[in-house]
Amino acid sequence: MGLKTFVGGVHPYDGKELSKDVAIKEVLPKGDMVYPVSQHIGAPANPIVAVGDNVLKGQMIAEAGGFVSSPIYSSVSGKVKAIENRRVATGDMVKCIVIENDGNFIETGFETVDDVTKLSKEEIIEKVKNAGVVGMGGAGFPTHVKLSPKEPDKIEYIIVNGAECEPYLTSDYRRMLENPEELIGGLKIILQLFDNAKGIIGIEDNKPDCIEKLTQLTSGESRIEVCPLKTKYPQGGERQLIFAATGRAINSKMLPADAGCIVDNVETIIAIYNAVKNGLPVMKRISTVTGDAVKNPSNFLYSIGTSYQELIDAAGGFKSQPEKIISGGPMMGFAMFSLDIPTTKTSSSILCFTKDEVTQFEPLACINCGRCVEACPEQLIPSRLAKFATNGLMSEFEKWHGLECIECGSCTFACPSRRQVAQPIKTMKKLTLAEKRKQASKK
């Protein structure tokens, strides 16, 4: 039987050899720490500290602004220097809490649990909520909301997204190799919440050592199995992963819970383990610093709020000046023009390249070859959607299922004419959804 996968997708050069064999190393921050209050989907967190306040490592500095929101914790000890707008990786200006790091890392107390199996479901969800756990693969959806579906008895699968299909990223790979017990422990905690669920750890087959290690460690677990997946982008997309692992399909109007599934990233599940077992709020995460412009590509355990510049410095700096810097993966990440940007809960990597390959090519006319259609994991017609978007044809865009686009960029990658197919589609999606919200507010 072949490896499990989905229809469509592409095979970009993965670049993982640069950092995959580099063990995780902790980096302690040196400069000021900057904490955006919007590090998640939903309402921004509300600052509960004031300029001049002294804070401890692990102290809450911003509380959740609603049910779909998440608190923010200081990852250092020091003094609140400012509460002001700062630029983040997406280019937006966001309210941030700036803390002058005293370098002492004096901690507040953390409440550990000897036996997590004795905790009630409500206690587990409350601990996850209070710890500020969000989807750390990039989406940033508050995890306590995801773990609180309307009908928990109908959840049949807890899927661990260990695909890490974005090129160059190796932080989840290193986590699975170096912290597999914490990953399995976190999955077991989630399974305590859902009596009828089975755990599936989905891993692409370009990580055979992870598959072997986790298969061995879960051999005696009746409710957990490791699912080898075909190496193909975007295998780690939520819809694609669900289809590959369970054969169930969802669309933009559905949640994974509607298909009886909950999907969490490797880093998120380890954060759940640390929150419930060790009482630790989200203060740290793993990030890959890589690319051909980086002197020593690495995987760092860093304190959230650290600037990207400090991570580059920890990797030895640049061996040559980069033309392109990306926060996240090359397929779905954000190009940056400055390194004076704070890391957040969803900062999984920073990529630095000596050449900006995209700008080297002049886009040509569409030749109607259909390669974007073959590549699209949602079986859309990207070239047509891009045409509708470019011409502002919103109704036609929606009629041809433009809102089903997952913004993976496979269409742009596959285009022989080097056309930026995905970009106008992404823009039109935002405009269409904004118009829908506007119309809904008038009713």
Side-chain angles (χ1 to χ4, degrees):
M1 185 174 67
L3 292 164
K4 294 184 177 182
T5 189
F6 61 97
V7 177
V10 292
H11 295 85
Y13 164 66
D14 71 7
K16 295 181 186 290
E17 74 281 355
L18 293 173
S19 59
K20 76 180 186 69
D21 296 324
V22 182
I24 297 168
K25 178 184 177 182
E26 184 168 8
V27 175
L28 294 178
K30 300 174 182 176
D32 290 348
M33 306 294 283
V34 180
Y35 303 91
V37 296
S38 294
Q39 299 190 29
H40 49 266
I41 290 174
N46 297 317
I48 56 173
V49 292
V51 174
D53 287 354
N54 290 310
V55 299
L56 299 176
K57 178 182 176 181
Q59 179 180 330
M60 185 187 294
I61 55 176
E63 63 185 5
F67 179 64
V68 185
S69 186
S70 186
I72 310 292
Y73 289 81
S74 177
S75 53
V76 298
S77 56
K79 181 178 289 187
V80 178
K81 189 175 182 179
I83 299 178
E84 61 190 20
N85 287 341
R86 293 283 187 99
R87 197 170 300 281
V88 295
T90 58
D92 299 321
M93 296 294 287
V94 174
K95 181 189 284 187
C96 297
I97 301 169
V98 183
I99 294 179
E100 186 177 0
N101 176 15
D102 64 15
N104 295 321
F105 303 99
I106 303 170
E107 294 184 344
T108 184
F110 304 117
E111 182 183 351
T112 60
V113 175
D114 293 331
D115 186 357
V116 295
T117 62
K118 293 182 179 179
L119 293 174
S120 69
K121 296 176 181 181
E122 292 75 20
E123 287 174 322
I124 290 173
I125 293 174
E126 191 67 15
K127 285 178 178 293
V128 171
K129 177 182 178 181
N130 292 339
V133 182
V134 302
M136 298 172 77
F141 191 78
T143 302
H144 69 276
V145 180
K146 186 180 287 189
L147 297 180
S148 307
K150 292 181 180 179
E151 299 179 288
D153 290 339
K154 292 186 178 181
I155 299 299
E156 298 178 67
Y157 298 102
I158 307 300
I159 303 175
V160 179
N161 185 352
E164 198 168 41
C165 62
E166 272 272 13
Y168 292 93
L169 276 61
T170 57
S171 54
D172 285 350
Y173 170 77
R174 294 309 311 179
R175 274 294 205 188
M176 289 187 283
L177 278 184
E178 297 185 45
N179 307 111
E181 292 85 2
E182 293 177 18
L183 176 63
I184 295 169
L187 178 55
K188 286 182 178 179
I189 288 171
I190 300 175
L191 288 172
Q192 281 183 235
L193 301 174
F194 304 101
D195 300 331
N196 304 321
K198 174 183 180 181
I200 298 177
I201 306 175
I203 309 173
E204 286 189 324
D205 68 335
N206 64 350
K207 307 172 185 66
D209 41 0
C210 290
I211 293 173
E212 181 182 358
K213 174 166 278 192
L214 287 166
T215 299
Q216 181 181 1
L217 290 175
T218 58
S219 60
E221 302 290 341
S222 60
R223 296 181 66 192
I224 300 176
E225 72 171 42
V226 175
C227 177
L229 305 167
K230 184 176 181 180
T231 300
K232 181 169 62 170
Y233 178 85
Q235 185 69 79
E238 193 169 60
R239 298 183 203 172
Q240 287 64 48
L241 183 59
I242 289 172
F243 182 81
T246 70
R248 300 179 180 184
I250 63 172
N251 57 41
S252 63
K253 296 179 181 178
M254 300 170 63
L255 294 172
D258 296 327
C261 301
I262 287 177
V263 182
D264 276 313
N265 169 266
V266 166
E267 193 73 14
T268 306
I269 291 181
I270 289 177
I272 290 172
Y273 175 84
N274 284 323
V276 178
K277 174 68 176 175
N278 300 320
L280 294 173
V282 176
M283 298 181 290
K284 299 180 180 181
R285 68 157 297 150
I286 307 293
S287 184
T288 302
V289 180
T290 187
D292 62 355
V294 177
K295 189 173 182 180
N296 301 308
S298 305
N299 298 289
F300 292 129
L301 174 65
Y302 70 90
S303 299
I304 291 166
T306 304
S307 73
Y308 279 102
Q309 182 65 63
E310 286 200 39
L311 295 186
I312 293 295
D313 292 343
F318 296 127
K319 60 183 180 183
S320 57
Q321 192 61 30
E323 278 190 7
K324 190 79 166 185
I325 299 175
I326 301 172
S327 172
M331 300 296 285
M332 295 184 71
F334 300 94
M336 299 198 304
F337 58 84
S338 170
L339 289 171
D340 186 22
I341 299 289
T343 54
T344 67
K345 297 177 185 180
T346 59
S347 301
S348 60
S349 67
I350 180 166
L351 313 181
C352 306
F353 301 113
T354 55
K355 293 182 179 179
D356 184 351
E357 295 184 8
V358 175
T359 60
Q360 291 180 352
F361 297 93
E362 188 71 26
L364 304 175
C366 174
I367 60 174
N368 297 310
C369 64
R371 291 187 187 177
C372 61
V373 180
E374 291 178 1
C376 180
E378 291 296 307
Q379 290 86 64
L380 304 175
I381 306 178
S383 57
R384 180 166 293 176
L385 292 174
K387 183 177 180 180
F388 292 148
T390 302
N391 290 285
L393 302 174
M394 188 175 291
S395 60
E396 285 83 355
F397 178 84
E398 188 173 358
K399 178 182 176 182
W400 285 84
H401 310 293
L403 295 180
E404 294 301 318
C405 171
I406 62 169
E407 305 182 18
C408 66
S410 294
C411 51
T412 297
F413 178 84
C415 180
S417 294
R418 301 283 183 169
R419 297 179 67 79
Q420 294 297 309
V421 186
Q423 193 56 50
I425 297 175
K426 292 180 184 181
T427 302
M428 182 54 81
K429 260 191 73 179
K430 290 181 175 64
L431 292 173
T432 305
L433 291 170
E435 180 63 24
K436 282 181 169 293
R437 288 192 293 269
K438 180 180 177 181
Q439 295 301 324
S441 67
K442 292 180 179 179
K443 294 179 180 179

